[in-house]
């Protein structure tokens, strides 16, 4: 399954010529309909995504991401893909990737609805596959020229396959947890050529088998410089924290990334 997912991600990148998705609010609120919009992104990043706190390694990443959006009269259909190639001087090469599909119903309304499905894997942290599906509401709190604030909340069901011992296939096990998922996003236009984004995510659910609550937090800050109508320089800092990791790995990590985004 992981190889199939990797194949899909690579093929999609090649077909579109290279972000958790940040859909421009102008698309979601557009009076036009029946059109596609796409973005490709290639970047280089550094992070401390080590398996354990005793590992003090800095990893280098090549990041490739693509967003494809179809805007219909009432709804928006969003497909996001990402692939990272990871290396360090002391370790072998790894890859991580995801593909995510989302529908935003009643896209131009202040209160809209969403459903989504995602497949993801992370070789570096021994997560063979994560699959989740869910739905909820999206509410636009602030919507004015130069500023946008929105948040979403809903329910999801998550199935994960982990490898307890590296390289030992027999140590694989599954974890299935229903969760509550909440996010908040902001967009500020600092000038005609500069945009600033803040995004935060909180997911939590009760692991009945282990008798604990599994909670994760994620967030990032992105500073975009619009170079031309189609080319944007991106600078991003991301942070992830898992309160109770399923296997014994470092619960938190950060990523510093710089790269280019091309709007097709």
């Amino acid at each position: 399954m992981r190889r199939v997912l990797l194949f899909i991600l690579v093929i999609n990148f090649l077909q579109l010529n290279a972000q958790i998705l940040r859909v421009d609010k102008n698309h979601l609120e557009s009076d036009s309909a029946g059109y596609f919009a796409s973005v490709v992104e290639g970047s280089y990043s550094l992070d401390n995504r080590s398996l354990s706190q005793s590992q003090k390694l800095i990893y280098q990443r090549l990041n490739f991401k693509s967003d494809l959006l179809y805007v219909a009269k009432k709804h928006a259909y969003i497909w996001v893909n990402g692939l990272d190639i990871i290396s360090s001087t002391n370790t072998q090469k790894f890859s991580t990737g995801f593909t995510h599909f989302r529908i935003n119903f009643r896209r131009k309304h202040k209160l809209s609805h969403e459903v989504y499905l995602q497949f993801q894997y992370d070789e570096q942290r021994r997560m063979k596959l994560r699959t989740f599906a869910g739905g909820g509401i999206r509410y636009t709190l602030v919507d004015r020229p130069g500023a946008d604030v929105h948040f979403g909340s809903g329910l999801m069901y998550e199935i994960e396959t982990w490898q307890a011992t590296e390289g030992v296939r027999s140590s694989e096990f599954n974890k299935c947890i229903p969760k509550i998922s909440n996010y908040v996003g902001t967009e500020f236009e600092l000038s005609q050529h500069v945009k600033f984004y803040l995004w935060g995510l909180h997911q939590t659910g009760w692991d009945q088998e282990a008798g604990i609550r599994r909670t994760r937090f994620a967030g990032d800050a992105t500073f975009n410089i619009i170079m031309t109508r189609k080319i944007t320089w991106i600078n991003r800092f991301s942070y992830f924290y898992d309160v109770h990791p399923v296997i014994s790995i470092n619960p938190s990590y950060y990523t510093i990334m710089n790269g280019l985004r091309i709007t097709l």
Side-chain angles (χ1 to χ4, degrees):
M1 180 64 188
R2 189 187 66 208
R3 291 181 180 179
V4 173
L5 175 57
L6 177 60
F7 176 78
I8 292 172
L9 291 167
V10 173
I11 290 299
N12 183 75
F13 171 67
L14 292 174
Q15 288 178 337
L16 292 176
N17 289 324
Q19 179 135 12
I20 301 285
L21 177 70
R22 291 157 184 80
V23 179
D24 192 312
K25 68 173 183 176
N26 293 328
H27 287 306
L28 292 184
E29 299 170 3
S30 173
D31 290 328
S32 301
Y35 69 90
F36 285 93
S38 59
V39 174
V40 293
E41 186 178 299
S43 60
Y44 170 81
S45 65
L46 298 174
D47 66 59
N48 70 334
R49 203 167 178 168
S50 303
L51 275 177
S52 66
Q53 293 182 344
S54 62
Q55 287 182 304
K56 302 300 181 181
L57 299 177
I58 298 298
Y59 293 90
Q60 304 175 74
R61 290 173 178 258
L62 290 176
N63 319 102
F64 306 107
K65 294 186 173 67
S66 63
D67 305 343
L68 180 62
L69 169 70
Y70 177 71
V71 179
K73 184 176 181 179
K74 295 182 178 180
H75 316 307
Y77 303 85
I78 305 156
W79 187 26
V80 195
N81 297 277
L83 176 66
D84 292 359
I85 307 298
I86 310 157
S87 67
S88 175
T89 54
N90 298 325
T91 65
Q92 66 186 74
K93 284 184 172 60
F94 298 95
S95 69
T96 70
F98 72 91
T99 185
H100 179 104
F101 181 71
R102 179 179 296 257
I103 303 175
N104 179 239
F105 299 101
R106 293 159 46 92
R107 59 182 176 84
K108 292 190 287 185
H109 289 249
K110 197 177 187 72
L111 178 64
S112 59
H113 309 280
E114 299 178 314
V115 294
Y116 52 84
L117 172 68
Q118 178 165 315
F119 300 95
Q120 177 183 358
Y121 77 95
D122 189 336
E123 289 182 337
Q124 187 180 6
R125 293 169 71 83
R126 302 206 302 268
M127 186 181 71
K128 310 296 287 184
L129 182 66
R130 170 184 289 150
T131 304
F132 61 80
I137 61 169
R138 172 190 168 104
Y139 183 75
T140 301
L141 187 63
V142 177
D143 180 14
R144 62 173 184 264
D148 177 79
V149 179
H150 60 270
F151 65 87
S153 182
L155 300 175
M156 56 180 275
Y157 190 76
E158 182 177 81
I159 304 172
E160 297 177 329
T161 301
W162 292 85
Q163 191 174 68
T165 305
E166 186 173 1
V168 180
R169 188 174 180 84
S170 61
S171 68
E172 293 182 7
F173 65 96
N174 295 326
K175 184 69 68 174
C176 304
I177 306 175
K179 290 186 174 181
I180 298 172
S181 180
N182 306 292
Y183 69 87
V184 60
T186 64
E187 174 185 333
F188 299 102
E189 189 173 310
L190 304 183
S191 73
Q192 183 180 358
H193 299 288
V194 180
K195 288 187 177 182
F196 181 64
Y197 301 86
L198 287 172
W199 174 84
L201 172 73
H202 167 260
Q203 294 176 337
T204 186
W206 182 255
D207 184 344
Q208 189 171 4
E209 182 181 12
I212 59 174
R213 182 168 296 280
R214 303 280 185 188
T215 302
R216 69 172 67 106
F217 299 92
D220 68 40
T222 304
F223 189 73
N224 287 355
I225 300 174
I226 302 171
M227 302 171 66
T228 70
R229 188 169 63 89
K230 291 184 175 293
I231 300 176
T232 300
W233 178 258
I234 51 177
N235 306 270
R236 182 176 302 131
F237 174 80
S238 303
Y239 184 78
F240 177 90
Y241 178 63
D242 196 336
V243 178
H244 295 292
V246 174
I247 63 174
S248 182
I249 55 176
N250 192 353
S252 65
Y253 60 84
Y254 68 84
T255 302
I256 300 172
M257 183 269 282
N258 294 279
L260 285 176
R261 176 186 297 171
I262 301 174
T263 301
L264 301 179

